[in-house]
PDB file of all heavy atoms in Angstrom:
ATOM      1  N   GLY A   1       0.816  -1.192  -0.008  1.00 97.00           N
ATOM      2  CA  GLY A   1       0.005   0.015  -0.006  1.00 97.00           C
ATOM      3  C   GLY A   1       0.857   1.261   0.010  1.00 97.00           C
ATOM      4  O   GLY A   1       0.584   2.226   0.694  1.00 97.00           O
ATOM      5  N   ARG A   2       1.903   1.243  -0.812  1.00 95.00           N
ATOM      6  CA  ARG A   2       2.895   2.315  -0.824  1.00 95.00           C
ATOM      7  C   ARG A   2       2.780   3.090  -2.127  1.00 95.00           C
ATOM      8  O   ARG A   2       3.226   2.643  -3.185  1.00 95.00           O
ATOM      9  CB  ARG A   2       4.251   1.691  -0.704  1.00 95.00           C
ATOM     10  CG  ARG A   2       5.410   2.678  -0.528  1.00 95.00           C
ATOM     11  CD  ARG A   2       6.680   1.934  -0.111  1.00 95.00           C
ATOM     12  NE  ARG A   2       7.780   2.840   0.033  1.00 95.00           N
ATOM     13  CZ  ARG A   2       8.624   3.179  -0.939  1.00 95.00           C
ATOM     14  NH1 ARG A   2       8.471   2.649  -2.134  1.00 95.00           N
ATOM     15  NH2 ARG A   2       9.621   4.029  -0.696  1.00 95.00           N
ATOM     16  N   GLY A   3       2.112   4.247  -2.087  1.00 97.00           N
ATOM     17  CA  GLY A   3       1.935   5.050  -3.263  1.00 97.00           C
ATOM     18  C   GLY A   3       0.694   4.696  -4.065  1.00 97.00           C
ATOM     19  O   GLY A   3       0.296   5.418  -4.980  1.00 97.00           O
ATOM     20  N   VAL A   4       0.111   3.553  -3.748  1.00 97.00           N
ATOM     21  CA  VAL A   4      -1.117   3.083  -4.360  1.00 97.00           C
ATOM     22  C   VAL A   4      -1.927   2.392  -3.244  1.00 97.00           C
ATOM     23  O   VAL A   4      -1.350   1.979  -2.246  1.00 97.00           O
ATOM     24  CB  VAL A   4      -0.871   2.062  -5.499  1.00 97.00           C
ATOM     25  CG1 VAL A   4      -0.293   2.785  -6.737  1.00 97.00           C
ATOM     26  CG2 VAL A   4       0.021   0.928  -5.062  1.00 97.00           C
ATOM     27  N   PRO A   5      -3.231   2.242  -3.407  1.00 97.00           N
ATOM     28  CA  PRO A   5      -3.981   1.504  -2.383  1.00 97.00           C
ATOM     29  C   PRO A   5      -3.489   0.066  -2.267  1.00 97.00           C
ATOM     30  O   PRO A   5      -3.141  -0.555  -3.269  1.00 97.00           O
ATOM     31  CB  PRO A   5      -5.437   1.548  -2.897  1.00 97.00           C
ATOM     32  CG  PRO A   5      -5.476   2.691  -3.836  1.00 97.00           C
ATOM     33  CD  PRO A   5      -4.103   2.754  -4.484  1.00 97.00           C
ATOM     34  N   ARG A   6      -3.428  -0.408  -1.038  1.00 97.00           N
ATOM     35  CA  ARG A   6      -3.003  -1.802  -0.853  1.00 97.00           C
ATOM     36  C   ARG A   6      -3.977  -2.737  -1.568  1.00 97.00           C
ATOM     37  O   ARG A   6      -5.205  -2.633  -1.404  1.00 97.00           O
ATOM     38  CB  ARG A   6      -2.960  -2.112   0.642  1.00 97.00           C
ATOM     39  CG  ARG A   6      -2.535  -3.522   0.950  1.00 97.00           C
ATOM     40  CD  ARG A   6      -2.410  -3.720   2.454  1.00 97.00           C
ATOM     41  NE  ARG A   6      -2.439  -5.119   2.822  1.00 97.00           N
ATOM     42  CZ  ARG A   6      -2.519  -5.554   4.067  1.00 97.00           C
ATOM     43  NH1 ARG A   6      -2.574  -4.683   5.048  1.00 97.00           N
ATOM     44  NH2 ARG A   6      -2.540  -6.861   4.301  1.00 97.00           N
ATOM     45  N   ASP A   7      -3.431  -3.623  -2.361  1.00 98.00           N
ATOM     46  CA  ASP A   7      -4.265  -4.528  -3.152  1.00 98.00           C
ATOM     47  C   ASP A   7      -3.480  -5.814  -3.366  1.00 98.00           C
ATOM     48  O   ASP A   7      -2.627  -5.898  -4.279  1.00 98.00           O
ATOM     49  CB  ASP A   7      -4.661  -3.864  -4.489  1.00 98.00           C
ATOM     50  CG  ASP A   7      -5.688  -4.669  -5.274  1.00 98.00           C
ATOM     51  OD1 ASP A   7      -5.661  -5.922  -5.202  1.00 98.00           O
ATOM     52  OD2 ASP A   7      -6.494  -4.052  -5.985  1.00 98.00           O
ATOM     53  N   GLU A   8      -3.731  -6.815  -2.566  1.00 97.00           N
ATOM     54  CA  GLU A   8      -2.940  -8.033  -2.622  1.00 97.00           C
ATOM     55  C   GLU A   8      -3.133  -8.780  -3.924  1.00 97.00           C
ATOM     56  O   GLU A   8      -2.188  -9.416  -4.439  1.00 97.00           O
ATOM     57  CB  GLU A   8      -3.306  -8.928  -1.425  1.00 97.00           C
ATOM     58  CG  GLU A   8      -2.874  -8.330  -0.085  1.00 97.00           C
ATOM     59  CD  GLU A   8      -3.550  -9.013   1.101  1.00 97.00           C
ATOM     60  OE1 GLU A   8      -4.390  -9.898   0.863  1.00 97.00           O
ATOM     61  OE2 GLU A   8      -3.228  -8.641   2.245  1.00 97.00           O
ATOM     62  N   ALA A   9      -4.334  -8.718  -4.497  1.00 97.00           N
ATOM     63  CA  ALA A   9      -4.559  -9.398  -5.781  1.00 97.00           C
ATOM     64  C   ALA A   9      -3.732  -8.782  -6.895  1.00 97.00           C
ATOM     65  O   ALA A   9      -3.167  -9.501  -7.740  1.00 97.00           O
ATOM     66  CB  ALA A   9      -6.047  -9.370  -6.128  1.00 97.00           C
ATOM     67  N   ARG A  10      -3.645  -7.470  -6.916  1.00 98.00           N
ATOM     68  CA  ARG A  10      -2.796  -6.823  -7.953  1.00 98.00           C
ATOM     69  C   ARG A  10      -1.314  -7.090  -7.697  1.00 98.00           C
ATOM     70  O   ARG A  10      -0.533  -7.258  -8.645  1.00 98.00           O
ATOM     71  CB  ARG A  10      -3.063  -5.329  -7.977  1.00 98.00           C
ATOM     72  CG  ARG A  10      -4.411  -4.944  -8.587  1.00 98.00           C
ATOM     73  CD  ARG A  10      -4.489  -3.467  -8.882  1.00 98.00           C
ATOM     74  NE  ARG A  10      -5.752  -3.133  -9.499  1.00 98.00           N
ATOM     75  CZ  ARG A  10      -6.045  -1.915  -9.979  1.00 98.00           C
ATOM     76  NH1 ARG A  10      -5.157  -0.940  -9.838  1.00 98.00           N
ATOM     77  NH2 ARG A  10      -7.189  -1.660 -10.542  1.00 98.00           N
ATOM     78  N   ALA A  11      -0.930  -7.096  -6.442  1.00 97.00           N
ATOM     79  CA  ALA A  11       0.454  -7.451  -6.129  1.00 97.00           C
ATOM     80  C   ALA A  11       0.796  -8.842  -6.643  1.00 97.00           C
ATOM     81  O   ALA A  11       1.810  -9.056  -7.290  1.00 97.00           O
ATOM     82  CB  ALA A  11       0.691  -7.408  -4.614  1.00 97.00           C
ATOM     83  N   LEU A  12      -0.109  -9.791  -6.430  1.00 98.00           N
ATOM     84  CA  LEU A  12       0.080 -11.145  -6.911  1.00 98.00           C
ATOM     85  C   LEU A  12       0.198 -11.155  -8.438  1.00 98.00           C
ATOM     86  O   LEU A  12       1.083 -11.846  -8.991  1.00 98.00           O
ATOM     87  CB  LEU A  12      -1.104 -12.030  -6.497  1.00 98.00           C
ATOM     88  CG  LEU A  12      -0.991 -13.478  -6.912  1.00 98.00           C
ATOM     89  CD1 LEU A  12      -0.467 -14.355  -5.758  1.00 98.00           C
ATOM     90  CD2 LEU A  12      -2.320 -14.009  -7.402  1.00 98.00           C
ATOM     91  N   GLN A  13      -0.613 -10.370  -9.125  1.00 97.00           N
ATOM     92  CA  GLN A  13      -0.576 -10.323 -10.582  1.00 97.00           C
ATOM     93  C   GLN A  13       0.816  -9.876 -11.068  1.00 97.00           C
ATOM     94  O   GLN A  13       1.399 -10.503 -11.977  1.00 97.00           O
ATOM     95  CB  GLN A  13      -1.640  -9.361 -11.107  1.00 97.00           C
ATOM     96  CG  GLN A  13      -1.487  -9.011 -12.596  1.00 97.00           C
ATOM     97  CD  GLN A  13      -2.252  -7.751 -12.955  1.00 97.00           C
ATOM     98  OE1 GLN A  13      -3.136  -7.294 -12.225  1.00 97.00           O
ATOM     99  NE2 GLN A  13      -1.905  -7.173 -14.088  1.00 97.00           N
ATOM    100  N   TRP A  14       1.326  -8.808 -10.494  1.00 98.00           N
ATOM    101  CA  TRP A  14       2.601  -8.272 -10.962  1.00 98.00           C
ATOM    102  C   TRP A  14       3.745  -9.164 -10.527  1.00 98.00           C
ATOM    103  O   TRP A  14       4.723  -9.347 -11.296  1.00 98.00           O
ATOM    104  CB  TRP A  14       2.812  -6.837 -10.476  1.00 98.00           C
ATOM    105  CG  TRP A  14       1.943  -5.881 -11.204  1.00 98.00           C
ATOM    106  CD1 TRP A  14       0.934  -5.118 -10.687  1.00 98.00           C
ATOM    107  CD2 TRP A  14       1.971  -5.597 -12.616  1.00 98.00           C
ATOM    108  NE1 TRP A  14       0.354  -4.382 -11.660  1.00 98.00           N
ATOM    109  CE2 TRP A  14       0.963  -4.645 -12.866  1.00 98.00           C
ATOM    110  CE3 TRP A  14       2.754  -6.040 -13.672  1.00 98.00           C
ATOM    111  CZ2 TRP A  14       0.718  -4.141 -14.118  1.00 98.00           C
ATOM    112  CZ3 TRP A  14       2.508  -5.563 -14.940  1.00 98.00           C
ATOM    113  CH2 TRP A  14       1.504  -4.595 -15.163  1.00 98.00           C
ATOM    114  N   TYR A  15       3.706  -9.710  -9.313  1.00 97.00           N
ATOM    115  CA  TYR A  15       4.760 -10.652  -8.907  1.00 97.00           C
ATOM    116  C   TYR A  15       4.773 -11.879  -9.803  1.00 97.00           C
ATOM    117  O   TYR A  15       5.846 -12.403 -10.140  1.00 97.00           O
ATOM    118  CB  TYR A  15       4.564 -11.098  -7.470  1.00 97.00           C
ATOM    119  CG  TYR A  15       4.985 -10.075  -6.435  1.00 97.00           C
ATOM    120  CD1 TYR A  15       4.345  -9.975  -5.209  1.00 97.00           C
ATOM    121  CD2 TYR A  15       6.059  -9.203  -6.655  1.00 97.00           C
ATOM    122  CE1 TYR A  15       4.738  -9.047  -4.255  1.00 97.00           C
ATOM    123  CE2 TYR A  15       6.458  -8.296  -5.724  1.00 97.00           C
ATOM    124  CZ  TYR A  15       5.810  -8.204  -4.507  1.00 97.00           C
ATOM    125  OH  TYR A  15       6.178  -7.300  -3.568  1.00 97.00           O
ATOM    126  N   ARG A  16       3.596 -12.331 -10.235  1.00 98.00           N
ATOM    127  CA  ARG A  16       3.541 -13.492 -11.106  1.00 98.00           C
ATOM    128  C   ARG A  16       4.200 -13.187 -12.445  1.00 98.00           C
ATOM    129  O   ARG A  16       4.956 -14.008 -12.982  1.00 98.00           O
ATOM    130  CB  ARG A  16       2.091 -13.948 -11.308  1.00 98.00           C
ATOM    131  CG  ARG A  16       1.991 -15.203 -12.181  1.00 98.00           C
ATOM    132  CD  ARG A  16       0.590 -15.822 -12.080  1.00 98.00           C
ATOM    133  NE  ARG A  16      -0.435 -14.818 -12.356  1.00 98.00           N
ATOM    134  CZ  ARG A  16      -1.532 -14.651 -11.595  1.00 98.00           C
ATOM    135  NH1 ARG A  16      -1.723 -15.372 -10.517  1.00 98.00           N
ATOM    136  NH2 ARG A  16      -2.419 -13.724 -11.920  1.00 98.00           N
ATOM    137  N   GLN A  17       3.954 -11.987 -12.987  1.00 97.00           N
ATOM    138  CA  GLN A  17       4.587 -11.633 -14.269  1.00 97.00           C
ATOM    139  C   GLN A  17       6.109 -11.578 -14.095  1.00 97.00           C
ATOM    140  O   GLN A  17       6.854 -12.082 -14.967  1.00 97.00           O
ATOM    141  CB  GLN A  17       4.054 -10.313 -14.773  1.00 97.00           C
ATOM    142  CG  GLN A  17       2.642 -10.389 -15.294  1.00 97.00           C
ATOM    143  CD  GLN A  17       2.276  -9.216 -16.169  1.00 97.00           C
ATOM    144  OE1 GLN A  17       3.096  -8.741 -16.946  1.00 97.00           O
ATOM    145  NE2 GLN A  17       1.031  -8.740 -16.033  1.00 97.00           N
ATOM    146  N   ALA A  18       6.551 -10.968 -13.003  1.00 97.00           N
ATOM    147  CA  ALA A  18       7.999 -10.888 -12.774  1.00 97.00           C
ATOM    148  C   ALA A  18       8.590 -12.264 -12.520  1.00 97.00           C
ATOM    149  O   ALA A  18       9.710 -12.560 -12.961  1.00 97.00           O
ATOM    150  CB  ALA A  18       8.286  -9.946 -11.592  1.00 97.00           C
ATOM    151  N   ALA A  19       7.853 -13.113 -11.806  1.00 97.00           N
ATOM    152  CA  ALA A  19       8.318 -14.459 -11.520  1.00 97.00           C
ATOM    153  C   ALA A  19       8.451 -15.242 -12.797  1.00 97.00           C
ATOM    154  O   ALA A  19       9.436 -15.983 -13.002  1.00 97.00           O
ATOM    155  CB  ALA A  19       7.359 -15.169 -10.556  1.00 97.00           C
ATOM    156  N   GLN A  20       7.489 -15.118 -13.694  1.00 97.00           N
ATOM    157  CA  GLN A  20       7.539 -15.831 -14.964  1.00 97.00           C
ATOM    158  C   GLN A  20       8.700 -15.356 -15.815  1.00 97.00           C
ATOM    159  O   GLN A  20       9.235 -16.109 -16.646  1.00 97.00           O
ATOM    160  CB  GLN A  20       6.205 -15.645 -15.709  1.00 97.00           C
ATOM    161  CG  GLN A  20       5.069 -16.420 -15.042  1.00 97.00           C
ATOM    162  CD  GLN A  20       3.712 -16.035 -15.605  1.00 97.00           C
ATOM    163  OE1 GLN A  20       3.544 -14.973 -16.239  1.00 97.00           O
ATOM    164  NE2 GLN A  20       2.710 -16.863 -15.392  1.00 97.00           N
ATOM    165  N   ALA A  21       9.117 -14.127 -15.592  1.00 97.00           N
ATOM    166  CA  ALA A  21      10.283 -13.572 -16.326  1.00 97.00           C
ATOM    167  C   ALA A  21      11.588 -13.937 -15.679  1.00 97.00           C
ATOM    168  O   ALA A  21      12.655 -13.575 -16.208  1.00 97.00           O
ATOM    169  CB  ALA A  21      10.133 -12.051 -16.453  1.00 97.00           C
ATOM    170  N   GLY A  22      11.551 -14.610 -14.488  1.00 96.00           N
ATOM    171  CA  GLY A  22      12.791 -15.101 -13.904  1.00 96.00           C
ATOM    172  C   GLY A  22      13.290 -14.352 -12.672  1.00 96.00           C
ATOM    173  O   GLY A  22      14.372 -14.659 -12.177  1.00 96.00           O
ATOM    174  N   ASP A  23      12.521 -13.397 -12.127  1.00 96.00           N
ATOM    175  CA  ASP A  23      12.956 -12.671 -10.942  1.00 96.00           C
ATOM    176  C   ASP A  23      12.807 -13.578  -9.712  1.00 96.00           C
ATOM    177  O   ASP A  23      11.689 -13.921  -9.328  1.00 96.00           O
ATOM    178  CB  ASP A  23      12.156 -11.382 -10.768  1.00 96.00           C
ATOM    179  CG  ASP A  23      12.724 -10.542  -9.620  1.00 96.00           C
ATOM    180  OD1 ASP A  23      12.460 -10.870  -8.462  1.00 96.00           O
ATOM    181  OD2 ASP A  23      13.430  -9.552  -9.946  1.00 96.00           O
ATOM    182  N   VAL A  24      13.903 -13.930  -9.055  1.00 96.00           N
ATOM    183  CA  VAL A  24      13.851 -14.907  -7.987  1.00 96.00           C
ATOM    184  C   VAL A  24      13.137 -14.363  -6.743  1.00 96.00           C
ATOM    185  O   VAL A  24      12.451 -15.109  -6.020  1.00 96.00           O
ATOM    186  CB  VAL A  24      15.266 -15.411  -7.648  1.00 96.00           C
ATOM    187  CG1 VAL A  24      16.132 -14.314  -7.042  1.00 96.00           C
ATOM    188  CG2 VAL A  24      15.216 -16.642  -6.719  1.00 96.00           C
ATOM    189  N   GLY A  25      13.293 -13.071  -6.463  1.00 95.00           N
ATOM    190  CA  GLY A  25      12.569 -12.490  -5.317  1.00 95.00           C
ATOM    191  C   GLY A  25      11.091 -12.542  -5.526  1.00 95.00           C
ATOM    192  O   GLY A  25      10.323 -12.872  -4.579  1.00 95.00           O
ATOM    193  N   ALA A  26      10.624 -12.261  -6.744  1.00 96.00           N
ATOM    194  CA  ALA A  26       9.198 -12.346  -7.033  1.00 96.00           C
ATOM    195  C   ALA A  26       8.719 -13.791  -6.957  1.00 96.00           C
ATOM    196  O   ALA A  26       7.594 -14.070  -6.529  1.00 96.00           O
ATOM    197  CB  ALA A  26       8.937 -11.764  -8.418  1.00 96.00           C
ATOM    198  N   GLN A  27       9.543 -14.723  -7.393  1.00 97.00           N
ATOM    199  CA  GLN A  27       9.170 -16.142  -7.314  1.00 97.00           C
ATOM    200  C   GLN A  27       8.953 -16.544  -5.873  1.00 97.00           C
ATOM    201  O   GLN A  27       7.952 -17.232  -5.559  1.00 97.00           O
ATOM    202  CB  GLN A  27      10.269 -17.004  -7.964  1.00 97.00           C
ATOM    203  CG  GLN A  27      10.340 -16.835  -9.450  1.00 97.00           C
ATOM    204  CD  GLN A  27      11.647 -17.353 -10.041  1.00 97.00           C
ATOM    205  OE1 GLN A  27      12.548 -17.807  -9.322  1.00 97.00           O
ATOM    206  NE2 GLN A  27      11.757 -17.315 -11.368  1.00 97.00           N
ATOM    207  N   TYR A  28       9.824 -16.149  -4.976  1.00 97.00           N
ATOM    208  CA  TYR A  28       9.680 -16.491  -3.558  1.00 97.00           C
ATOM    209  C   TYR A  28       8.424 -15.860  -2.966  1.00 97.00           C
ATOM    210  O   TYR A  28       7.662 -16.524  -2.262  1.00 97.00           O
ATOM    211  CB  TYR A  28      10.928 -16.024  -2.767  1.00 97.00           C
ATOM    212  CG  TYR A  28      10.931 -16.469  -1.351  1.00 97.00           C
ATOM    213  CD1 TYR A  28      11.621 -17.606  -0.957  1.00 97.00           C
ATOM    214  CD2 TYR A  28      10.219 -15.769  -0.378  1.00 97.00           C
ATOM    215  CE1 TYR A  28      11.623 -18.020   0.375  1.00 97.00           C
ATOM    216  CE2 TYR A  28      10.199 -16.201   0.960  1.00 97.00           C
ATOM    217  CZ  TYR A  28      10.894 -17.315   1.314  1.00 97.00           C
ATOM    218  OH  TYR A  28      10.893 -17.734   2.619  1.00 97.00           O
ATOM    219  N   LEU A  29       8.215 -14.581  -3.259  1.00 96.00           N
ATOM    220  CA  LEU A  29       7.021 -13.903  -2.698  1.00 96.00           C
ATOM    221  C   LEU A  29       5.738 -14.470  -3.263  1.00 96.00           C
ATOM    222  O   LEU A  29       4.745 -14.605  -2.549  1.00 96.00           O
ATOM    223  CB  LEU A  29       7.119 -12.419  -2.961  1.00 96.00           C
ATOM    224  CG  LEU A  29       8.098 -11.654  -2.052  1.00 96.00           C
ATOM    225  CD1 LEU A  29       8.270 -10.239  -2.521  1.00 96.00           C
ATOM    226  CD2 LEU A  29       7.628 -11.692  -0.614  1.00 96.00           C
ATOM    227  N   LEU A  30       5.729 -14.821  -4.539  1.00 97.00           N
ATOM    228  CA  LEU A  30       4.563 -15.416  -5.139  1.00 97.00           C
ATOM    229  C   LEU A  30       4.246 -16.737  -4.443  1.00 97.00           C
ATOM    230  O   LEU A  30       3.080 -17.045  -4.127  1.00 97.00           O
ATOM    231  CB  LEU A  30       4.798 -15.626  -6.626  1.00 97.00           C
ATOM    232  CG  LEU A  30       3.655 -16.201  -7.457  1.00 97.00           C
ATOM    233  CD1 LEU A  30       2.456 -15.269  -7.432  1.00 97.00           C
ATOM    234  CD2 LEU A  30       4.087 -16.443  -8.882  1.00 97.00           C
ATOM    235  N   ALA A  31       5.279 -17.526  -4.217  1.00 98.00           N
ATOM    236  CA  ALA A  31       5.070 -18.785  -3.482  1.00 98.00           C
ATOM    237  C   ALA A  31       4.497 -18.530  -2.112  1.00 98.00           C
ATOM    238  O   ALA A  31       3.574 -19.245  -1.663  1.00 98.00           O
ATOM    239  CB  ALA A  31       6.394 -19.528  -3.390  1.00 98.00           C
TER     240      ALA A  31
END
């Protein structure tokens, strides 16, 4: 919720895209 309203579903969406692109931090958080 930093600079935008907190929205866990949107966070999941963006982490999933980054995870699919190979970002290991996003992969861990998505898990």
Side-chain angles (χ1 to χ4, degrees):
R2 187 169 180 269
V4 289
R6 180 176 161 188
D7 188 326
E8 294 165 356
R10 287 192 178 186
L12 182 99
Q13 169 199 342
W14 287 116
Y15 283 148
R16 183 166 52 228
Q17 288 198 37
Q20 290 169 341
D23 187 282
V24 67
Q27 290 164 356
Y28 186 98
L29 284 171
L30 182 62

